[in-house]
Every structure is written in C-alpha cells, then in structure tokens.
C-alpha cells in the first residue's frame, strides 16, 4: 500500500508529519482518529482530525492534504447519498411557533 507524508495542525499533534495510507484514488481518509490511552486505566480518549486541502507552494504535488484538529470530536456522517436529508444541529430544531406568524395566544 502507498502512504503519503501528511502534516497535522492544531491539538496535541500540531507540527508533526506522519505517513498516512492512501486509498485507490490517492487520497488519505477524510477523518483520522488517534486513540490516546488514559493513564488511570479508563477508556481511551480519541483525537479527531479532519482532512483539508493544503496550499500548493511552488508547485509541490506530493503533499496535497493536511489534517486539522477537530476539538468537538463529532462523528462523521459517513456516506452521503444524494436523496438523504441534511442533518440539522440540535439548536436548529423548529420552535412550536413558526417564525413570522403570531401565536394564537396573542389574539
């Protein structure tokens, strides 16, 4: 399998460059998870890094991607099908009254 030296930005891995396996298309995975063992013997913490395009400096073609730290550690949505509805964050849930319409209690 091929690997590509990929830089990491932010979080505990800031400034490090690691060889990351690339797939058949030549792209590394969209999400890179690093398990960190707990010193007290509890469940391991997981550092989550997201792939982003890297600026091309001087036409260098070997390092096209970088990983940026995601402190929220949210799970990726996985596959996205064209007919799937986008997920709404919890804060975007609709209220009981739609915006722009008066409530029945207002008269």
């Amino acid at each position: 399998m091929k690997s590509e030296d990929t830089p990491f930005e932010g979080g505990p891995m800031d400034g490090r460059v690691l060889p990351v396996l690339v797939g058949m298309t030549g792209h590394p995975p969209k999400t890179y998870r690093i398990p960190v063992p707990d010193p007290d013997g509890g469940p391991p913490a997981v550092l989550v890094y997201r792939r982003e395009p890297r600026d091309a400096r001087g036409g260098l073609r070997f390092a096209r991607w970088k990983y940026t730290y995601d402190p929220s550690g949210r799970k990726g949505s996985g596959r996205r099908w064209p007919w799937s509805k986008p997920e709404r964050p919890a804060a975007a849930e609709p209220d009981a009254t739609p915006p722009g319409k008066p409530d029945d209690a207002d008269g």
Side-chain angles (χ1 to χ4, degrees), residues 2-8 16-22 28 54 61-67:
K2 286 182 139 184
S3 66
E4 181 178 295
D5 288 340
T6 309
F8 286 75
R16 295 188 186 183
V17 178
L18 297 176
V20 177
L21 293 175
V22 295
R54 184 175 174 196
R61 295 184 45 87
F62 57 86
R64 299 171 302 186
W65 304 100
K66 66 180 178 182
Y67 281 105

Side-chain angles (χ1 to χ4, degrees), residues 2 6 8-9 13-14 21 23 25 32-33 37 42 46 49-50 58 70 74 93 96 103-104:
K2 286 182 139 184
T6 309
F8 286 75
E9 291 183 354
M13 299 290 291
D14 189 29
L21 293 175
T25 60
Y32 196 85
R33 299 178 190 282
V46 178
Y49 284 84
R50 305 266 177 218
D70 183 9
R74 60 181 160 47
E93 291 297 322
D103 198 8
D104 288 339

Side-chain angles (χ1 to χ4, degrees), residues 29-101:
K30 291 181 181 179
T31 306
Y32 196 85
R33 299 178 190 282
I34 303 170
V36 179
D38 186 11
D40 298 330
V46 178
L47 302 175
V48 178
Y49 284 84
R50 305 266 177 218
R51 182 184 75 186
E52 293 182 358
R54 184 175 174 196
D55 297 335
R57 296 181 192 153
L60 298 177
R61 295 184 45 87
F62 57 86
R64 299 171 302 186
W65 304 100
K66 66 180 178 182
Y67 281 105
T68 306
Y69 181 62
D70 183 9
S72 67
R74 60 181 160 47
K75 249 188 165 176
S77 60
R79 292 196 174 171
R80 305 220 10 113
W81 301 104
W83 54 84
S84 300
K85 291 183 180 179
E87 293 182 25
R88 286 197 265 169
E93 291 297 322
D95 292 334
T97 305
K101 293 189 178 183

